[in-house]
Each structure stands twice: as C-alpha cells, then as structure tokens.
Amino acid sequence: MAQRFGNWNSRNTHFISTHLKHTHYQIWTQLENFSSYRPPTAVKTNPMTHSISPIKTLLIEETMQAVHEMRALLSKASESFKCELLHANRLELGLAYLEEMRFDAVLLSVALCGANNGQALTKIRTAAPAVPILILSGPDDEETAVQLTRQGAQGYLRYDQLSANTLYTLLTLAGKQSQLHAKLEKAINTAKAHQTSCRHILERNVDGLVIVDNDGVILMANALAERLLARTQLDLIGGSFDFSPIKSDTAELDVKRANGETAVIEMRQTKIRWEGQNAHMVSLRDVTAHYRAKNDLAQKAAQLETRNAELDTFAQTTAHQIQGLLSQMIGYTSYLDMHYRPNLDDTGQGVVRHVLRSGHKMSNVLSELFLLATVDKNDIPLVALDMERIVAEAQKRIAFETEERDGTIIKPGVWPVVTGYGSWIEEAWVNYISNALKYGGEPPQITLGWEAVADKYIRFWVKDNGPGIAPEDQKRLFKAHTRLRQIRATGEGLGLSIVHRIIKKCGGEVGVDSAPGAGSVFWFTLPRAENSPT
C-alpha cells in the first residue's frame, strides 16, 4: 500500500485546484448578488501558512491502511493546518454521518461507489448538497473518477500521486468553499425571510399595492389591489400593467366594477428594489367617494352662486324701488313740515319730525344694503377722488341729523387728492360723522381733518367731544354688530364694520384714538394720488 502514494502529478493538481477555485469564484459571485450581504475585503494569503478553522472532513474508505496513511499525510501538511477527519468504512455509514453532522469536505473512495457510481454520488449530494466531494482513485480506475467529476464531484485524487502539500491545498480550498456555501445559504435564508416579511407587510397594507418591473410586468399584487382593479391575482401576476405608472408619479384611472359602476382609483408609484431587480411599487387608493363629494360640492357651489346672483339682483331691484318710495315720503313730509308747521299742534309737529327722522334713517340703511351688495366685488375702479365734493355729499345725507342734534362741523379749507372708490368713501364719511353726532358731546362739536403719513398715504379723521372709549372696547369697534355702549343710542351696528371692509378694499387702514373723558378720533388712510401736490 505504501507504493500507492507518490509525488502528485502537476497536471492533476492544476486541474482540481483550478476547478475548486472556479467554484469558489462562483460562490462569491452569488453572494455579491445579494443586497443584504457584503463579502469581506479579499486578502491574499499563502495557503501553506494561513491559519483557518478546523476543516471537518469525512473519509469514506474501506481499507484501514489507506486511512492510516491519509492521517499521516495530513499530520505532515502544516503546523497551522487543522483537520478533523472522520472515517466511514461503508457508503451507508457515510450517508448516516452526513445526515447527522456538518462537514466541510468529503473524500470518497471510488471503490465504495459500486457498479452504479452515479447513484452513489447522487445519494451523497442529496444528503449534503453544499459539501465539496473529492474522489479517491488508483491508476486503474481513474476513468471512473473522471466520470464522477463530470457528474458533480469537485475533482479526483490518485493515491499514487498524492502528497501532503497537495492534500492540504485541496482540503483548504474545499473548506473555504464549504464556508462560503454556508454563508450563501444564510444570506439566502435571510433574504427569503426579508422577502416573506415584506410580502406580509404589503398584503396587510391599507392601500392596494402592485409591484411592476421596468418592462411593465406585474410581479406581485396584494388582495386589496385585486378588489380595486377588479381582477384576480391569477390575472394580474405575470401580466402587463397597462396603466403606465412609470410615466408619472401620480395618476388616476377609471375601473369598471362588477356591478357596472365606475370607480376612480388614485395611483402613486415609487422606485424600489424587488427580489434583486429594479422595480416600481404602485399604490392604489379608491377616491371615488372623494370625487363624488367634490363634484357634489362644485355643483352646489354653482347653484349657490346662481341663487346669490338672483338674490342680489332681486335685492338691488327691491332696494331701488323702496328708495324711490322712501324719497317720495321724505319729500312730502318735508314739504308738510316746511309749509304747514304753523297749522299743526305740538303733537302733529312731533309726528312729522319723527317721520322725517325715520325716513332718513331708513335711507341710510338702504345705502348700507347697496354697499354690502358691491363691497365683495373685486373689479372696482380706484381713481383720484375729489374729497371736498365727497364730504359735502356726505353732509347732505346727514343734514337732518346734524340739525336735529344741533351739531357743529368744522372742515379744512383744502383737501388732498387720494385714490379710492367714490361712493364707498362717501359711506365712510357718513358713518364716521353720524357716529360723532350720536356719541359726541352735548351739543356735538365735530372737526374733520387730514394729515400726511409715511409711505405716501393720507390719514383722514373725524374728532368728537364725546366721553371717549375704553381701550377694551376699541378692539371690537370695527367688528360687525358692535355699538358704542357708553351712552344710550340706537343703531344697527353694521356701520364701522362696513367702513373697515371698504377701506381695506381701497388699500387703506382704519383705526381710532381715544381715552375715557378725552373724546375720540376715528380715522382711515388712503393712498395719495400720483402727481398730487399735497
């Protein structure tokens, strides 16, 4: 038996070493394809001196002398080389070991393969598919060893050409290959677990989800996507996704339901990695109810706009008619007061004055209604204003109230030119002066004026001699339905809020400066007209 071992043929060494290194490279390549695994940086080492973990090797050999000589060769290989060699003298025993234990390499004697060599190799590969198998042969059965190599063994060794260094080199490569297979299997299991977890999350997602590759082929679809698209997974997976999710990040599509109704589905897509390839995850959400509500709201808004326009037209027509009748009533009552007052007793004169007062008040209320109908319109012409004429018109409207309260109004001799909307600014003056008459002193002494302020604005003001306004009440003056409560007076509470709205629309501001016992100054600002001398 000693003659069975001799110098290892260099051709065979090159063949087996190259084959194992090629397998080694293939495993690294497979590992690198897993995104969850990054191989360590390769370090070139001398296989004769590099220390590795013990290589667990199963030797299936019936001849004990061959086993002893194999152990002797392994002991001479290298001080740093560690090999745990387990011997099985029968194929069945070797298969039992492979079922129970993990090995890095298998050394199989060709003599134990029997007549059906391929079947024996298949049994070993079935028991340990990731373990490298090296065939041990003599010169007479080398052809059989070559056939086994072609059928899946990693290589073969001739006893008569085997040396310690060659055995060490091949077992070291086999050990590394086995370790790489173990890492690969672990990476595969991790990837599968991750994939299973991802699928579980996708299946339980509140949105419908579809995974599509770059060619538009559906790779995965959850249960909700089936319902939203009205198609089964059997129809979806492997089919073409014909809704073009790659062209836009967000899109909408109409899906015909089984009951004949059309559903609106919102689509969003994002790029992902799926099972090692670039893909797109498309999320689907049923927005049919949202679209119905949106359309209903738009329809109701259109109906409301039409109704408001009709009411606006009706209100203006009615207000014009009432204004005409009211003007006649005020005119006839003024004629009666002017020409027949001496013929009326005190009660009759009081009734006439009351009718005139109510008529003028109603006239101002109607003016406010006209203003409310136009204040929210955007297209208003802002032009240069003749403020002297506007103030004079405002005084005419409150002449009866001024006379009745015995009020005095002092005006400046010159007015600046500003921009605004004439009828609105007239209403602002009417409200300010009317409030000064109502809430001023006894009798009211009112001063109108103006002053230039920063940023090319003019501030107009109305000063009264009333009791003044507390700071906590000043903050609420320009809100709707707020009245000056310090004294007894009547009013609708809309005047100052209207002033605030119309001055804002003209590009100005409103405000009040007051203190209890010191009177009040109500003011508003307007932009100064271009090329104005003031």
Side-chain angles (χ1 to χ4, degrees):
M1 177 63 72
Q3 283 74 23
R4 297 174 61 185
F5 295 90
N7 294 330
W8 178 250
N9 184 279
S10 59
R11 179 179 60 84
N12 290 337
T13 303
H14 177 74
F15 169 75
I16 297 177
S17 177
T18 301
H19 184 78
L20 288 175
K21 288 180 180 178
H22 177 68
T23 307
H24 184 181
Y25 170 77
Q26 288 182 319
I27 296 174
W28 274 121
T29 303
Q30 295 177 50
L31 283 174
E32 289 172 348
N33 288 334
F34 277 83
S35 58
S36 60
Y37 180 80
R38 295 292 183 269
T41 303
V43 178
K44 293 183 178 180
T45 58
N46 185 347
M48 300 301 293
T49 59
H50 178 56
S51 177
I52 60 174
S53 301
I55 299 174
K56 296 181 179 180
T57 305
L58 174 63
L59 173 60
I60 304 177
E61 169 64 65
E62 63 180 348
T63 305
M64 289 304 301
Q65 184 178 355
V67 174
H68 294 319
E69 292 178 352
M70 183 68 69
R71 291 185 185 277
L73 284 176
L74 291 174
S75 65
K76 298 177 182 178
S78 172
E79 294 181 359
S80 60
F81 177 65
K82 297 179 181 179
C83 179
E84 296 179 1
L85 185 67
L86 181 63
H87 171 232
N89 59 359
R90 291 176 292 109
L91 178 62
E92 292 75 12
L93 181 60
L95 292 174
Y97 284 153
L98 289 173
E99 292 287 345
E100 298 295 331
M101 303 172 64
R102 187 190 70 82
F103 291 93
D104 296 316
V106 174
L107 298 177
L108 174 63
S109 173
V110 71
L112 287 178
C113 291
N116 195 337
N117 299 316
Q119 185 176 3
L121 182 64
T122 300
K123 290 181 179 181
I124 295 177
R125 293 193 62 81
T126 302
V131 178
I133 303 173
L134 299 177
I135 306 299
L136 299 176
S137 72
D140 297 334
D141 46 18
E142 183 176 2
E143 184 177 350
T144 302
V146 172
Q147 292 178 357
L148 291 173
T149 302
R150 291 171 180 172
Q151 294 175 7
Q154 270 60 47
Y156 70 93
L157 307 172
R158 280 179 52 177
Y159 281 116
D160 58 328
Q161 297 175 342
L162 192 60
S163 67
N165 289 342
T166 301
L167 185 61
Y168 164 70
T169 300
L170 295 178
L171 288 180
T172 299
L173 291 176
K176 289 183 178 180
Q177 180 178 341
S178 177
Q179 292 173 5
L180 290 176
H181 271 296
K183 291 181 180 180
L184 176 61
E185 184 177 1
K186 182 178 179 181
I188 292 174
N189 292 335
T190 301
K192 287 181 177 179
H194 179 70
Q195 179 180 333
T196 301
S197 176
C198 288
R199 285 183 175 272
H200 183 70
I201 294 173
L202 295 179
E203 287 291 345
R204 299 174 64 89
N205 198 280
V206 295
D207 290 336
L209 293 175
V210 178
I211 307 299
V212 186
D213 67 13
N214 287 338
D215 295 326
V217 177
I218 299 176
L219 305 176
M220 180 269 178
N222 65 359
L224 185 56
E226 292 185 72
R227 294 196 293 271
L228 292 177
L229 298 176
R231 295 161 68 183
T232 65
Q233 278 198 2
L234 186 62
D235 295 331
L236 289 171
I237 297 178
S240 176
F241 195 77
D242 53 357
F243 303 119
S244 303
I246 301 173
K247 295 180 180 179
S248 175
D249 289 342
T250 305
E252 293 169 357
L253 57 100
D254 296 332
V255 176
K256 203 76 171 179
R257 297 194 188 279
N259 59 5
E261 295 182 353
T262 300
V264 181
I265 307 299
E266 181 186 73
M267 256 189 338
R268 296 179 180 272
Q269 69 94 17
T270 183
K271 295 180 180 180
I272 64 169
R273 291 281 296 175
W274 180 260
E275 296 182 351
Q277 63 176 312
N278 293 327
H280 298 261
M281 182 172 68
V282 183
S283 65
L284 307 170
R285 179 170 296 182
D286 190 343
V287 292
T288 306
H290 170 75
Y291 264 78
R292 288 175 180 171
K294 184 178 178 180
N295 291 336
D296 291 344
L297 183 62
Q299 185 177 2
K300 290 179 180 178
Q303 294 174 352
L304 183 61
E305 185 176 357
T306 301
R307 183 171 296 180
N308 286 341
E310 293 173 351
L311 290 174
D312 197 17
T313 301
F314 173 77
Q316 291 190 42
T317 302
T318 304
H320 275 295
Q321 293 176 350
I322 295 174
Q323 186 78 48
L325 296 173
L326 185 61
S327 297
Q328 293 182 31
M329 184 190 75
I330 294 174
Y332 284 127
T333 305
S334 297
Y335 181 83
L336 181 64
D337 182 55
M338 185 181 301
H339 294 283
Y340 296 97
R341 181 185 296 177
N343 299 327
L344 299 175
D345 58 14
D346 292 342
T347 301
Q349 291 181 15
V351 170
V352 170
R353 301 295 290 180
H354 182 73
V355 171
L356 286 173
R357 185 184 308 111
S358 298
H360 284 291
K361 181 178 179 180
M362 178 60 72
S363 179
N364 286 331
V365 170
L366 288 175
S367 297
E368 289 185 351
L369 289 176
F370 278 126
L371 188 61
L372 284 173
T374 60
V375 72
D376 289 327
K377 294 181 179 179
N378 294 324
D379 299 330
I380 55 171
L382 299 179
V383 297
L385 302 178
D386 183 355
M387 193 61 72
E388 184 176 4
R389 184 191 63 79
I390 291 175
V391 173
E393 291 296 325
Q395 284 187 268
K396 288 180 183 180
R397 290 175 55 184
I398 56 175
F400 180 83
E401 186 177 0
T402 304
E403 180 183 351
E404 187 178 46
R405 295 183 182 276
D406 195 22
T408 302
I409 300 177
I410 302 173
K411 300 183 295 182
V414 178
W415 291 95
V417 181
V418 293
T419 59
Y421 189 53
S423 60
W424 288 5
I425 304 306
E426 179 183 321
E427 193 65 36
W429 281 114
V430 169
N431 273 278
Y432 274 5
I433 297 174
S434 178
N435 278 333
L437 290 170
K438 293 176 184 178
Y439 305 106
E442 295 290 346
Q445 296 180 4
I446 302 170
T447 303
L448 312 183
W450 61 272
E451 59 183 342
V453 293
D455 298 329
K456 298 181 180 181
Y457 276 79
I458 301 296
R459 180 163 63 181
F460 300 93
W461 44 265
V462 176
K463 181 180 180 181
D464 64 43
N465 62 332
I469 307 170
E472 58 270 18
D473 291 327
Q474 294 179 23
K475 299 177 182 179
R476 301 183 294 111
L477 284 178
F478 293 94
K479 297 180 180 180
H481 306 293
T482 299
R483 291 185 296 175
L484 308 178
R485 299 183 299 174
Q486 275 77 3
I487 61 175
R488 291 191 301 273
T490 59
E492 299 307 315
L494 289 174
L496 292 179
S497 66
I498 292 177
V499 172
H500 180 240
R501 291 171 65 184
I502 63 180
I503 295 299
K504 278 281 190 181
K505 294 279 285 187
C506 291
E509 300 287 344
V510 299
V512 60
D513 299 324
S514 182
S520 302
V521 178
F522 284 83
W523 55 265
F524 63 87
T525 63
L526 290 173
R528 185 161 50 192
E530 294 184 5
N531 302 323
S532 173
T534 57

